[in-house]
Every structure is written in C-alpha cells, then in structure tokens.
Amino acid sequence: MTASSQSVEPFDLVIFGGTGDLAVRKLLPALFHRFLDGQIPASSRIVGIAREALDDNGYRAQLREALVGVCAAAQLDVFLQQVFYLPLDARKDEGWDDFAAFIGNQPDHIRVFYLSTSPELFVDICNRLGQYKLNEGASRVVLEKPIGRDLASANQINDAVGKVFSESQTFRIDHYLGKETVQNLLVLRFGNALFEPLWNSAHIDHVQITVAETLGVGHRGTYYDRAGALRDMVQNHMLQLLCMVAMEPPSSLAPDAVRDEKLKVLHSLKPIDDSNAAQLTVRGQYRAGVAEGASVPGYPEELGNNKSNTETFVALKAEIANWRWAGVPFYLRTGKRLPSRVSEIAVTFKPVPHSIFSADAGTLAQNRLVLRLQPDEGVKLWLTIKHPGPGGLRLRHVPLDMSFAEAFGVQQPDAYERLLLDVVRGNPTLFMRRDEVEAAWRWAGPILAAWTASGEAPRPYTAGSWGPSAAVALIERDGHTWNEDSE
Ligand code: NAP
C-alpha cells in the first residue's frame, strides 16, 4: 500500500504562528498536498493562530496566494474550506476562551498543536493549553527547532512543556528525518544483505555529511546571529543524520527501538572541547563575493554589524568511540553562501587490499555510497568497472545512479508531508526524544565553550567558495578530500 492511500482519523491541527514563514511556505503546502492525495478527512480542521487581526476569509486569501501555483483553483477552494483562523496573542489572556470553545472538549478527538513560533512562546502556549485542558486525551504538541540554545535552556523548555504534555505526546520535529533519502538509509542498511556486513570500521574509511546552502542569512539575521551554524545545523540536523548512519540495527521500527539506538551513538561521540577544538573544528564567516552569478554582500554588511563573531560555516571531524566505528572519521561541514545547495551523506569504503591491475589501467578509486537529500533526492553507488570496448583493460569509476524522481517518475513528497501525518497518527519514530536533544547539546556545548574561550574570530571566506581553506586542510591532513561529486 502506498503512503498516499493510508487514511488517518479526523483531526484538528492548530498552527500557532499560522501566518509565519514556516507555516505559509512549508506546513500549509504540505497539508494541501496530503489533501490532494485524499489523506485529509473532510471533517478535519486546520486552524491558524497569530496576533494579526484576520478572519477565516482573510487568512484563506493569504494562503490562496501562497498555494495557488500548486494545483487547480477548484481543489484549492475545497481545501481552504477546512482552514480557519483565530487571532490570539499567546502572551495575553484575551481570546483563549474563544479558542478553547472553538476546539471543543473532546479529548478523544486528535488535536495537534504545532508551535511554529519563536521558542520564547512555547511555555506560555503550553501553559494555556493545559489550563484549558486541551492537553488531555489524544492531544499532541509539535515543537519546532531551535529547542534552546544550550543544554540549560533546552532543559528549561522541555521541563515546562513536560509539565503539560507527556513525552509520548511531544513531537520534536527535525524535518531532515522526514526526508525520503533518510528513510531510505534505513531501508538500504537494513533491507539489503549487501551493506550491513561492510558497515563498520573494517570496511568503511570515512563518512562525510555536507549541508551546503547558497543563501545568506537574509532577513533571519537577528535570529541567526544568536545561533550560528553549529546551533542552527550541526546540533540538530547533522547529528541526526550521523546517528542514522552510525546506529546499530534497531530490533524493529518501533519509535523507542530506533531512538534508543540513536541515543547510544550520541553518547558515544568523542568529546570536542578546549583540548582539541582547534585541531578538530573550523569556523568561518562569509565575506562579499559572487553567489549564483550575482554579487552578494558579506555577513557583516548583511547583518549591519562588523563585530559579530558568529560562524556561518563549520567543518569538524567527529569520532564515535565504539566497536563498530572506532577510528572512522565522520567529517561534517555546513555553511551559508557556499557554491551550491546540497545536502548529502557520502560513505567512502576502504581501498581494495591489493591491486592486480597494471599502472596503465588507471587508478583504483575507493567505492563510495552517496545519499543525496537535496536537491534531487537519490542514491549513487560509485563502483570501478572496465572501460567498455577494446584498447586494453582500463579502469573507470562510475556511479550506479538512482535519482528517485527519475526512477519512480514521481516528485518526492516534502518532509513535512510525512512528518505532519506521523504526528496525526501518533507515530514519533522520526521525532527527537528529549534525551536525544539533551545528549546532542551535551556534545555541542563544549565546542561552543571552546570557541568562546579561544576568543578567535571565525575565519573569513569568500561568498561562493567552499569555506575557509582550513576546512580543506582539516580533511586533507587525514589523506581524504571532500566529496567532489557534491561540488
Ligand atoms: P515568523 O515568520 O517570524 O513567524 C512567526 C509567527 O508567530 C507569525 O505568524 C507571528 O504572527 C506569530 N506570533 C508572533 N508572536 C506571537 C504571539 N505573541 N502570539 C501568537 N502568535 C505570535 O517565523 P518562522 O520563520 O515561521 O519560524 C517559526 C518557528 O519555526 C521559529 O521557531 C523558527 O526558528 C522555526 N523554524 C523556521 C523555519 C523556516 O524555514 N522559516 C525552519 C525551521 C524552523 P503575528 O506577528 O501576527 O503574531
């Protein structure tokens, strides 16, 4: 049975921050796509909440503009009849009675409260939901990132939310986990006999995880400058990807079976702190340059502050201290204003132990499995073959290439489509458990502390380049290169 044919129970989905960028650009289009696939029961309601004084029709008009390109207008109008709006300031008393009356008192009805607002509002919103008993029964809460800016603030949010919603009702979203390729990583690893015997330090040379963006900080400068690349990307998305690559086979896909295994990986990460951060990490900040064919300003000009020490690029070498992975480097790099927008995991296998081919045949390249998360999700397995035809035995390194869109003739669903319906179904497998968030902060915190203690500014790099040259040196010191396929 395909995902699009699996029905869900009727539900109410309330989006706090319903007029915001995430809601309008991602959440509503995702819901609309699920509606078009017939997965949203007709009695379900989607409710936008924000302070702006709008009514249902005003909100629908805003959404119509954002969704109109997706499909024929007639279907859009039907969808929008299931969308409502209530003006509410999460910090004030007014409006909550009306909101609670609108939602109604039916604890068995699925009610999803998606907190797509600044995290500063999470506690106020949850407290109100608790006060009106909207946390009971089949209610669930979805928390957007960032969950805190360090371990202490993450604990504060989790403690406060935890007073109102149980852990099983709390869905901490990391949309990378909803990407088709990431789920496919589970299937490739555990649905094929081929990979698992090789999936260890005896056969894998190193792993690279790249999340590269071409955009600068744009209008998110105020948020970003308080966060930086390590908090914004590494502590959450990239560590989650690392866990999916490195975890032991879970006994099943039951939520805690998978999350227990991910947690063990996080606990096994070797610490990076004052003693080794200078060797194992590189931070950068972009300067003016050329991105996607146009001249772009540097981070200081975009931010309007030339004293910022916030990193817009990180490269680091992580290691997992356990039997499976001891000695295998995991290189992570992420940055803004890089030459291309690409997210991928590249697993490089060890060289063959002995070459039987003459030097004339060419060099024997190492096998590499590349899982691309965006753009064009897919998997490439690089193999060495004989160059076809006469002319002697010449070696060629070629990919077995499976672009999902080409192979299956369908556009891959956005990660939010999958994850939103998982929340409705109450399936938290692809969401972060509290102890995972804490373990990730426990590892990332000492890196941030080491950077602060060093007092060093991030290294400048030109917009449109692959980051500071020190990032190249970081990996080349170990005799490896960044995966050129992605560059
Ligand atoms: P945004 O565009 O600034 O939207 C914020 C929303 O919250 C607006 O609808 C705003 O509407 C509403 N809001 C603000 N104060 C409120 C209050 N006191 N009571 C009720 N509603 C209030 O932010 P965003 O980019 O959508 O991001 C939302 C959250 O998702 C943030 O935590 C962000 O870090 C996270 N996130 C965003 C993205 C993304 O791609 N945008 C990606 C990952 C995570 P009013 O001003 O009218 O109240």
Side-chain angles (χ1 to χ4, degrees):
M1 189 187 275
T2 62
S4 61
S5 62
Q6 288 175 354
S7 60
V8 293
E9 298 288 313
F11 60 89
D12 285 343
L13 170 60
V14 179
I15 304 176
F16 287 92
T19 56
D21 175 70
L22 181 70
V24 173
R25 206 168 43 81
K26 287 286 183 185
L27 306 182
L28 269 304
L31 290 162
F32 185 36
H33 277 113
R34 292 299 89 223
F35 167 84
L36 291 173
D37 266 352
Q39 266 195 304
I40 310 264
S43 60
S44 297
R45 298 182 299 179
I46 296 158
V47 188
I49 303 283
R51 289 168 301 179
E52 193 178 345
L54 289 170
D55 58 12
D56 292 341
N57 284 333
Y59 187 47
R60 288 169 187 160
Q62 276 193 6
L63 297 180
R64 186 174 282 111
E65 259 179 57
L67 297 174
V68 77
V70 176
C71 86
Q75 282 160 300
L76 179 52
D77 284 336
V78 180
F79 171 69
L80 290 176
Q81 286 311 304
Q82 290 184 244
V83 178
F84 303 86
Y85 181 86
L86 284 174
L88 188 68
D89 185 334
R91 292 215 149 112
K92 295 196 175 145
D93 293 337
E94 302 88 74
W96 283 95
D97 287 344
D98 291 345
F99 171 71
F102 183 84
I103 297 301
N105 183 14
Q106 318 162 58
D108 293 341
H109 186 63
I110 297 170
R111 293 170 300 190
V112 175
F113 300 104
Y114 196 118
L115 309 195
S116 178
T117 63
S118 141
E120 277 101 61
L121 297 179
F122 288 2
V123 176
D124 282 326
I125 296 172
C126 287
N127 285 342
R128 294 284 184 186
L129 294 172
Q131 189 184 322
Y132 283 90
K133 301 198 184 315
L134 294 174
N135 56 337
E136 294 179 350
S139 286
R140 337 190 188 301
V141 68
V142 184
L143 306 182
E144 254 302 338
K145 75 159 200 183
I147 300 180
R149 49 176 285 104
D150 52 25
L151 181 59
S153 52
N155 279 343
Q156 238 169 18
I157 292 175
N158 284 326
D159 283 345
V161 172
K163 285 192 180 127
V164 180
F165 290 97
S166 67
E167 183 61 30
S168 66
Q169 291 177 297
T170 306
F171 289 71
R172 296 177 193 81
I173 201 157
D174 185 323
H175 71 275
Y176 272 62
L177 293 181
K179 287 183 182 288
E180 203 73 13
T181 317
V182 176
Q183 292 159 58
N184 215 341
L185 177 57
L186 279 178
V187 180
L188 275 175
R189 281 193 62 191
F190 306 122
N192 296 287
L194 197 61
F195 294 111
E196 204 45 31
L198 304 179
W199 211 255
N200 54 51
S201 62
H203 301 284
I204 289 182
D205 194 62
H206 70 278
V207 177
Q208 298 179 21
I209 303 178
T210 295
V211 177
E213 296 177 274
T214 51
L215 296 176
V217 282
H219 67 277
R220 290 181 74 221
T222 314
Y223 155 74
Y224 194 87
D225 200 54
R226 273 175 50 73
L230 192 93
R231 288 190 177 93
D232 192 47
M233 282 290 170
V234 178
Q235 182 272 344
N236 37 55
H237 305 315
M238 298 184 84
L239 284 188
Q240 286 294 319
L241 296 181
L242 178 145
C243 287
M244 297 298 268
V245 175
M247 70 180 181
E248 294 299 313
S251 58
S252 72
L253 284 186
D256 282 337
V258 174
R259 299 188 298 178
D260 286 348
E261 295 307 336
K262 287 198 292 164
L263 183 65
K264 286 184 206 160
V265 175
L266 292 168
H267 283 157
S268 307
L269 281 168
K270 274 195 185 174
I272 301 180
D273 53 25
D274 285 345
S275 66
N276 54 5
Q279 290 77 48
L280 299 179
T281 68
V282 174
R283 341 159 51 208
Q285 192 187 75
Y286 62 84
R287 295 289 180 267
V290 175
E292 296 181 316
S295 296
V296 293
Y299 181 74
E301 298 87 63
E302 234 177 323
L303 192 68
N305 171 8
N306 59 12
K307 299 221 163 54
S308 169
N309 259 350
T310 299
E311 77 286 352
T312 61
F313 175 96
V314 183
L316 61 82
K317 175 180 169 182
E319 270 189 74
I320 300 167
N322 65 18
W323 272 52
R324 186 186 283 264
W325 293 114
V328 178
F330 283 69
Y331 300 100
L332 275 46
R333 76 173 160 167
T334 181
K336 292 195 174 289
R337 287 282 188 232
L338 300 186
S340 54
R341 174 176 169 265
V342 59
S343 300
E344 68 175 26
I345 301 166
V347 179
T348 303
F349 292 84
K350 293 212 158 146
V352 294
H354 165 70
S355 175
I356 61 167
F357 306 104
S358 71
D360 300 346
T363 35
L364 262 179
Q366 289 167 247
N367 296 126
R368 189 172 269 187
L369 179 69
V370 180
L371 300 119
R372 182 166 281 210
L373 282 66
Q374 64 185 23
D376 29 278
E377 296 193 41
V379 179
K380 273 187 194 173
L381 178 60
W382 287 84
L383 300 170
T384 300
I385 59 154
K386 176 192 169 295
H387 188 88
L393 208 159
R394 286 169 294 146
L395 304 175
R396 276 191 60 191
H397 197 48
V398 292
L400 276 180
D401 185 353
M402 195 166 73
S403 155
F404 295 158
E406 273 172 38
F408 297 102
V410 288
Q411 200 56 37
Q412 292 308 311
D414 186 80
Y416 281 101
E417 294 181 40
R418 163 78 193 238
L419 295 174
L420 280 165
L421 287 205
D422 276 357
V423 180
V424 172
R425 290 191 193 96
N427 178 359
T429 306
L430 297 175
F431 295 80
M432 290 182 291
R433 213 167 51 189
R434 176 175 177 160
D435 48 9
E436 288 181 78
V437 176
E438 288 175 9
W441 276 125
R442 238 177 237 116
W443 182 77
I447 302 176
L448 291 163
W451 288 345
T452 307
S454 83
E456 280 177 27
R459 295 164 195 264
Y461 64 96
T462 306
S465 73
W466 279 102
S469 52
V472 177
L474 174 84
I475 193 165
E476 288 193 345
R477 266 203 303 271
D478 296 342
H480 309 308
T481 51
W482 291 108
N483 182 25
E484 285 175 13
D485 196 31
S486 65
E487 299 190 354

